[in-house]
Amino acid sequence: QIKAVLFDLDGVIVFTDRYHYLGWKKLADEHGWAFDEEVNNGCRGVPRMESLEVILRHNGVELPEAEKEELATRKNAYYVELLKDINEEDVYPGAVEFLKKIRATGVKTGLCSSSKNAPLVLESLGLSDYFDAVVTGADIKNAKPDPEIFLLGAEWVGVAPENCVVFEDAPSGVAGALAAGMACVGVGSPELLTEAPVTITDYSTIDIDALLNNQLTGSP
Ligand code: G6P
Ligand code: MG
């Protein structure tokens, strides 16, 4: 029986994955580095510095630590600038209705995002009150695919890991959820989320009774 639903943020509740992509793209273009949607898929759910490493590795570039820090800070500035314009249209279809319905059943909701900007995004869109706990990259030592962020989320909402289900758009996040011993729903394409037992692209298609009985199957 599911007693808590834990959500990733970027690409799961909000289309901010697009803005992370645009931030990295701007930085990459400035340096003439190759960066596309496919490379970006390797940055989903991956912390800021590690995402930079993914891009540098893809381009065979090695840089001193101080320069990497500066580049990551610059990307974050681009990202935060893009966040100034976010609005309801950036929220995933049906996500808020889904959160309301889940919470009305008494099931806990938690946010487990690697992003240190997660509280800012939630505040900007008035979504903070939909979560019983918010865990971010600032609260953990080991990033996804390590299960740490999900185990902490379960602890903070007071539910055992086996009674949690995680919604994730990143292969690393799906792996982390499964490593935490939790059920997992992939948000996005089954081709990218090959480890996810079930995937969705629209929250309104989810059978909530089936989800809470851990009987959701296929890709509705
Ligand atoms: C999420 C996103 C990643 C991002 C990471 C860190 O996991 O999916 O694309 O790199 O958060 O975000 P931050 O806002 O702290 O740089
Ligand atoms: Mg994500």
Side-chain angles (χ1 to χ4, degrees):
Q1 187 67 24
I2 297 299
K3 295 179 182 154
V5 186
L6 304 178
F7 298 86
D8 174 50
L9 177 67
D10 302 309
V12 166
I13 299 287
V14 188
F15 290 120
T16 35
D17 51 332
R18 186 75 203 144
Y19 302 129
H20 279 293
Y21 168 80
L22 291 173
W24 288 123
K25 181 71 181 151
K26 183 166 176 179
L27 191 81
D29 285 350
E30 283 169 358
H31 293 82
W33 297 330
F35 182 69
D36 57 17
E37 298 282 355
E38 202 180 317
V39 180
N40 187 59
N41 280 336
C43 297
R44 286 180 186 273
V46 176
R48 202 177 302 169
M49 281 303 275
E50 281 181 45
S51 296
L52 176 64
E53 295 291 357
V54 168
I55 297 165
L56 294 179
R57 212 177 306 128
H58 181 74
N59 286 274
V61 174
E62 280 179 44
L63 293 173
E65 206 51 40
E67 201 169 326
K68 287 194 273 193
E69 294 280 353
E70 192 271 323
L71 290 172
T73 303
R74 185 146 22 120
K75 179 269 175 176
N76 192 55
Y78 295 155
Y79 177 64
V80 171
E81 184 63 31
L82 289 164
L83 288 184
K84 286 186 181 153
D85 293 328
I86 58 170
N87 57 64
E88 310 83 66
E89 285 176 19
D90 295 297
V91 180
Y92 216 97
V96 172
E97 277 309 306
F98 180 69
L99 280 160
K100 284 183 186 162
K101 282 188 198 157
I102 290 288
R103 292 173 62 80
T105 67
V107 164
K108 300 284 183 190
T109 52
L111 192 93
C112 298
S113 168
S114 306
S115 175
K116 293 179 176 166
N117 292 297
L120 171 65
V121 172
L122 292 180
E123 276 305 310
S124 307
L125 296 167
L127 296 176
S128 307
D129 291 347
Y130 290 109
F131 299 95
D132 296 296
V134 173
V135 192
T136 76
D139 302 307
I140 52 149
K141 284 200 191 70
N142 306 297
K144 303 167 187 178
D146 190 283
E148 183 178 350
I149 197 163
F150 299 116
L151 294 172
L152 195 58
E155 193 182 315
W156 285 9
V157 298
V159 171
E162 61 265 33
N163 298 120
C164 295
V165 59
V166 172
F167 280 70
E168 257 294 350
D169 71 314
S172 63
V174 171
L178 299 178
M182 299 177 180
C184 185
V185 176
V187 180
S189 77
E191 287 76 29
L192 177 65
L193 304 169
T194 50
E195 283 189 61
V198 46
T199 61
I200 60 129
T201 51
D202 182 341
Y203 285 91
S204 65
T205 61
I206 299 174
D207 177 340
I208 292 186
D209 284 337
L211 175 76
L212 298 185
N213 287 312
N214 214 352
Q215 286 169 345
L216 210 60
T217 50
S219 305

